[in-house]
Amino acid sequence: MALTISLPTPDGSLQPHALTGKPPVRQSPGMRFNRIAYSAAHVVADPLAAIDPWLACAVDWDATIAYRRHLWSLGLGVAEAMDTAQRGMGLDWPTSLELIRRSLDAAQDVPGAQVASGCGTDHLALETITTVDEVIRGYEEQMEAIEKLGGKLILMASRALTRVARNPADYERVYDRILSQAQQPVVLHWLGDMFDPALAGYWGSPHIDQAMDTALGIIQAHAGKVDGIKISLLDKDKEIAMRRRLPAGVRMYTGDDFNYAELIAGDGVGAAANQQQSDALLGIFDAIAPAASAALGELAQGNVDEFHAILGPTVPLSRHIFSAPTRFYKTGVVFMAWLNGHQSHFTMVGGQQSTRSLQHFAELFRLADAAHLLEQPELAVHRMTTLLAPHCVED
């Protein structure tokens, strides 16, 4: 008999949900990818730390690194200390650097493990920053610290730069300076304001096409120092338009958590391979890692229909997790890790587990089941029941 659980519905009633009982698809052993695929990985909080969780950060390092080992075991790379790790929403720079150090150390024990690490300016006090030179020095400080550890950089979008830049030339000056110093090619990072309202108008314009022109000009000027650019605008047409204008060898890393399946599959249009398809640097890959791995393996074998058959059902789940306010998507990602037994609790850095409603979690559970992403159904039902119980939701 199928497992069932009573879940809240939009009208406020409880309705039984019968689980599909279908387990996640698993990648065939030894299968390789023909795309680079980074999962922006979450951090596991320490729920027993004697801190005020809104003001201080306590990380369960063992569980956090264990999840990265899980991602590597599936063939996925780790985009470290990014917004999925609550960078700027509970994870401060000293803790981020410690996370990067521990992740790079752990990767040395895993053949082929890929790590790219977020380099930003989040250690600067925004209210005190008045010049572009201060932003440059902020980037240089983090850049030096990460490169000293041997880390590859993801040059994160800067709230401080958005605050002080007056025109596209200010962005060009900052990126010219930083890219000219990079020890190895970096990944640029364009995060839309739906993910972080403080980044509105990045690249010096509120108009996407003009901003894109500035970003592409910077990439053209430093193509040898740019591995690729991750854009998270949740607009597939804008991503495709930019992808077709990239210099040969510079990758488009999709950060579109609404349209990733078709963007990764590609459209075959463009003069070079990098213009025809997107690689991936996605927060949702943390939550759907087994499906992402299996689908990418099928794509590498030329099985495009099977790729879409596996990944397609995950898209409604992703769109729900990343629904507005999009910046709270991390809560859904951690919720999935808890449901699937990758951590023993649903406590987040900064108390962010409170940013979504019971209705949101109930629909997430349904969609995760429909996408065949509940790795241990009995455990998932038990944990969902424990989440509902303190709110007096019971049969």
Side-chain angles (χ1 to χ4, degrees), residues 211-268:
M212 189 181 296
D213 288 342
T214 300
L216 284 164
I218 291 169
I219 292 170
Q220 290 279 2
H222 299 276
K225 288 293 186 77
V226 179
D227 168 53
I229 181 168
K230 165 203 164 71
I231 66 171
S232 299
L233 303 177
L234 303 184
D235 185 329
K236 65 178 182 180
D237 293 330
K238 295 297 185 185
E239 176 173 324
I240 291 170
M242 188 174 190
R243 187 172 75 192
R244 289 178 182 161
R245 297 172 63 189
L246 289 174
V250 176
R251 299 175 183 273
M252 171 59 72
Y253 287 98
T254 186
D256 188 333
D257 299 279
F258 283 6
N259 303 291
Y260 50 91
E262 59 184 294
L263 289 165
I264 293 169
D267 57 12

Side-chain angles (χ1 to χ4, degrees), residues 38-175:
Y38 287 105
S39 168
H42 75 281
V43 294
V44 182
D46 179 355
L48 301 180
I51 61 167
D52 185 327
W54 284 19
L55 301 176
C57 176
V59 174
D60 180 335
W61 293 113
D62 289 343
T64 294
I65 297 303
Y67 198 77
R68 280 136 183 81
R69 293 186 182 279
H70 168 66
L71 295 171
W72 290 323
S73 76
L74 295 169
L76 301 174
V78 169
E80 193 55 275
M82 301 293 290
D83 47 304
T84 304
Q86 297 180 245
R87 187 79 175 265
M89 290 185 69
L91 195 75
D92 56 27
W93 165 238
T95 310
S96 297
L97 184 59
E98 178 65 10
L99 175 60
I100 291 167
R101 184 188 69 77
R102 288 174 181 257
S103 189
L104 288 170
D105 285 349
Q108 294 181 16
D109 300 329
V110 182
Q114 292 184 311
V115 182
S117 303
C119 170
T121 62
D122 50 314
H123 61 294
L124 302 177
L126 283 181
E127 65 277 6
T128 69
I129 303 303
T130 59
T131 70
V132 169
D133 286 335
E134 291 172 282
V135 177
I136 291 173
R137 288 194 292 271
Y139 269 129
E140 289 174 337
E141 182 179 340
Q142 292 200 12
M143 180 180 185
E144 180 182 7
I146 295 169
E147 289 188 333
K148 187 176 181 180
L149 297 173
K152 175 179 179 176
L153 303 180
I154 301 172
L155 206 59
M156 299 177 69
S158 167
R159 294 175 180 173
L161 181 53
T162 307
R163 178 184 175 90
V164 301
R166 296 292 176 259
N167 49 52
D170 285 338
Y171 285 84
E172 291 166 353
R173 183 154 73 90
V174 171
Y175 282 88

